Structure formats: structure tokens, C-alpha cells
Amino acid sequence: MSHLVAVLALEGVKPFDLGIPAQVFGPGVNAAGKPLYEVVTCSLGGRPVTTNQDFAVTVSRDQAVLATADTVVIPPQDYTRGIPIPSALDAELADALAGIAPSARIVSLCTSAFVLAVAGLLDGQRATTHWGMCGELARRFPGIEVDENVLFVDNGRVLTSAGAAAGIDLCLHLVRQDHGAAIANATARRCVVAPWREGGQAQFIEQPVPAETDLSTSATRSWALGRLSEPLTLTDLAQHANMSVRTFTRRFRSEVGQSPHEWVIQHRLNHARDLLETSELPIGDVANAAGFADPVLLRKHLRNSVGLTPNAYRKAYSTTRPEDRSVKPRV
């Protein structure tokens, strides 16, 4: 059976974000040509919804579909055009959110993180939203760990994304979780977007133009990506960039939104996941090829990232042994 994705359109919805789930999930098919997802759009009471543009949208379903959905996506409202940031949920919306199945994923795009926050779904969790609203989210909800540097946050059941295109990144992330890199990459190609964007939204935050003497770390990042199997110390990276360690670390974080160490680990892990999905290399060889000196390190980082050991990840996501592609745990 296909995975049901229900998109909840609220008043003032942004049409671009409203269309992201259908664009990313909708066309996906398995090897037999069967749809992997069914995407439906609903509204409270099934009523027409006014967008933040000069038109409204009509839907064929009401909030009852949320109770049977496997994934619920809430696109953002435009708070700059008279749609208030919610301080409380009206009874109809509160009941709709309360009716979502406990097993369903709940995804907010951009500023709809405020809806989840007001509903209490982000209490005690890490979350993000558009960088321009992260401060407000943190101020109003001190129990939420707000991260303005990332494109999206995956807490397992509840996921949040930054603005606009970051919603595409998050939906591609879910496709990859559900069906592996091959289908996620094919989806990205169809959408003409990168299957994985490095860094976070820190690179988009308005900040003063750096002086001409300030150098970018992009060349060093490209250099490092071609050497993931080799030891890459902070000193190595800084020397390649012709910077002091302190200057390189500061510049790197301002451009990428991560420390150099975090960035290297992320890309080592991405490479290891690709090898686990697309090759039959022994786990030790995968670890070495990705720059993890010891398979135990690969196991540790993979478990922390997706909750699976290398062997379990290969069994769930391998594209080389379809007979092992049993029902996968949701991570």
C-alpha cells in the first residue's frame, strides 16, 4: 500500500510551500511502477482557503483524513500579510491536530512550526523555522531548543524545516529515509534540485558583506570532499585554506552553519550511507572508504544519526539486494 501524505492548508497559506509535498512525494514509484505515496490536500471543514496571493484554493477533503494519514504536512501561513502568529489554536484546528494518529509523522514547513509549538508538539524538542522568526520562536517557547543554523530538524515523529526551499530538503530527506538514496536522488533530479544541500540556513542570514581580505572556505570544502577516506584534521583544513585555525573555524561556521568537525562527520556519514545502499563492500571497507578509521566509529555515528547499525541500514536500504528490502523501521 502507498504511504498517505495529508497536506493541511490553513488560511493565508503560501502556494509555493503548499505544492511542495505533491511535487516531491507525488510522482514516486517503485520498481514495478506502483506509486509509493498518495498525496491529498485538506482544509478545516473542507472549506476553500485564501492564500497569501490573489487567489484561493479549494480542496476535496476535510481534516478527517488526518486521522488516517501516515505523514501530515502543514505548510506555512504568511504572517507578514495580516495572518497573526498563533498564540492559541481555535477548537477546530486543535481537534484536527489531536486526531492525528500517534504513528504518523508530523511535518511543519517554515513558520508553521509556530502551529506545532502552540499545540505542544515541540515541547522539549529541537526545532527550526525561517531564520527571521527563530528568535521569536525561542522567545515565545523557551521549552523548545531552536536551531537557526539548520535547514531542517528530524526528531523522529515531529520534523520542522526552515523557509521555502528547505521544505524540499526535508521532503527529500523523508523519501531517502523511506526508500533509500536511489529513489531520493531520482526525485531530486526530477525536481531539478540538489539531493542534499550542504550546510544550513546560517548561510542565508542577512549579515554584513565580508571585507575583501576575508577568504571563503569553499575551495577547502571541495578539497576535503575528494579526500574523505583520508585523515582530515582541523589543522589540515586550516592550512589548506591558508588561515589560522581560529580564523578558519570562525569563517567556516559563518558560511556553513556547522563546525568543521561536524561538517566532515556529516559528509563521511553521507558517503558511508551511499556505499551501504549501493555496494556490497564489507562494513570495514565501507568505514575505511568514508574515513572512519574503525568500524565501531561508523556504527556509533550511524546509530546516532538514523538509529540503525550498518548491517541493519544495509538490509533496510540496499539497492543491490532487493530480496532484503523488507518493511523498514521508521527512523
Side-chain angles (χ1 to χ4, degrees):
M1 295 179 62
S2 60
H3 182 112
L4 180 60
V5 179
V7 185
L8 176 61
L10 300 174
E11 282 297 310
V13 67
K14 297 182 178 180
F16 177 89
D17 304 76
L18 179 63
I20 287 174
Q23 287 289 331
V24 176
F25 295 115
V29 296
N30 62 17
K34 300 294 185 182
L36 296 171
Y37 299 94
E38 178 187 1
V39 183
V40 300
T41 305
C42 66
S43 68
L44 297 177
R47 298 183 291 272
V49 175
T50 301
T51 72
N52 75 325
Q53 303 298 324
D54 61 345
F55 60 88
V57 295
T58 58
V59 300
S60 59
R61 298 173 184 260
D62 62 19
Q63 66 268 33
V65 72
L66 301 180
T68 59
D70 299 295
T71 296
V72 174
V73 181
I74 307 178
Q77 301 167 279
D78 190 348
Y79 297 127
T80 67
R81 300 198 180 189
I83 305 298
I85 299 175
S87 56
L89 301 182
D90 64 60
E92 191 175 24
L93 177 55
D95 288 345
L97 296 178
I100 297 172
S103 60
R105 294 183 299 215
I106 305 176
V107 178
S108 73
L109 304 184
C110 195
T111 52
S112 56
F114 282 88
V115 174
L116 300 191
V118 175
L121 292 169
L122 295 177
D123 291 349
Q125 299 197 57
R126 182 165 159 260
T128 194
T129 185
H130 187 282
W131 62 263
M133 298 298 292
C134 280
E136 179 67 10
L137 185 64
R139 184 188 67 79
R140 290 185 49 191
F141 301 96
I144 299 173
E145 180 188 348
V146 180
D147 190 340
E148 69 174 13
N149 294 317
V150 296
L151 295 174
F152 60 82
V153 172
D154 182 348
N155 288 312
R157 185 190 182 215
V158 182
L159 305 92
T160 55
S161 79
I168 300 176
D169 295 308
L170 177 49
C171 290
L172 285 172
H173 166 71
L174 292 176
V175 173
R176 181 182 179 113
Q177 277 193 345
D178 292 343
H179 301 289
I183 289 178
N185 291 346
T187 300
R189 286 194 297 273
R190 187 181 64 248
C191 295
V192 199
V193 297
W196 182 274
R197 287 196 291 164
E198 68 175 55
Q201 62 173 326
Q203 60 192 301
F204 303 110
I205 297 175
E206 294 177 357
Q207 45 190 306
V209 176
E212 292 183 1
T213 54
D214 285 349
L215 302 176
S216 170
T217 64
S218 61
T220 297
R221 280 179 271 138
S222 297
W223 174 80
L225 287 175
R227 294 166 174 78
L228 289 176
S229 63
E230 304 173 13
L232 292 171
T233 68
L234 180 57
T235 300
D236 294 333
L237 297 172
Q239 286 179 346
H240 182 272
N242 294 316
M243 300 179 191
S244 69
V245 168
R246 176 177 294 182
T247 298
F248 177 80
T249 301
R250 174 179 55 79
R251 170 57 59 191
F252 194 100
R253 185 177 287 278
S254 72
E255 292 179 356
V256 178
Q258 295 176 294
S259 71
H261 176 73
E262 291 169 337
W263 182 89
V264 169
I265 291 297
Q266 172 188 302
H267 284 279
R268 290 195 196 283
L269 195 54
N270 290 345
H271 186 43
R273 291 172 68 173
D274 285 339
L275 291 174
L276 290 171
E277 294 173 14
T278 61
S279 79
E280 296 184 358
L281 287 173
I283 300 301
D285 290 349
V286 170
N288 288 332
F292 293 107
D294 188 328
V296 173
L297 287 177
L298 171 60
R299 180 187 179 94
K300 171 187 173 183
H301 287 293
L302 190 64
R303 183 180 286 280
N304 288 342
S305 176
V306 299
L308 297 173
T309 65
N311 281 323
Y313 186 89
R314 170 169 276 167
K315 184 174 182 180
Y317 295 108
S318 173
T319 60
T320 63
R321 295 183 295 171
E323 67 275 9
D324 288 340
R325 295 292 297 276
S326 55
V327 176
K328 302 181 290 297
R330 177 172 291 158
V331 297

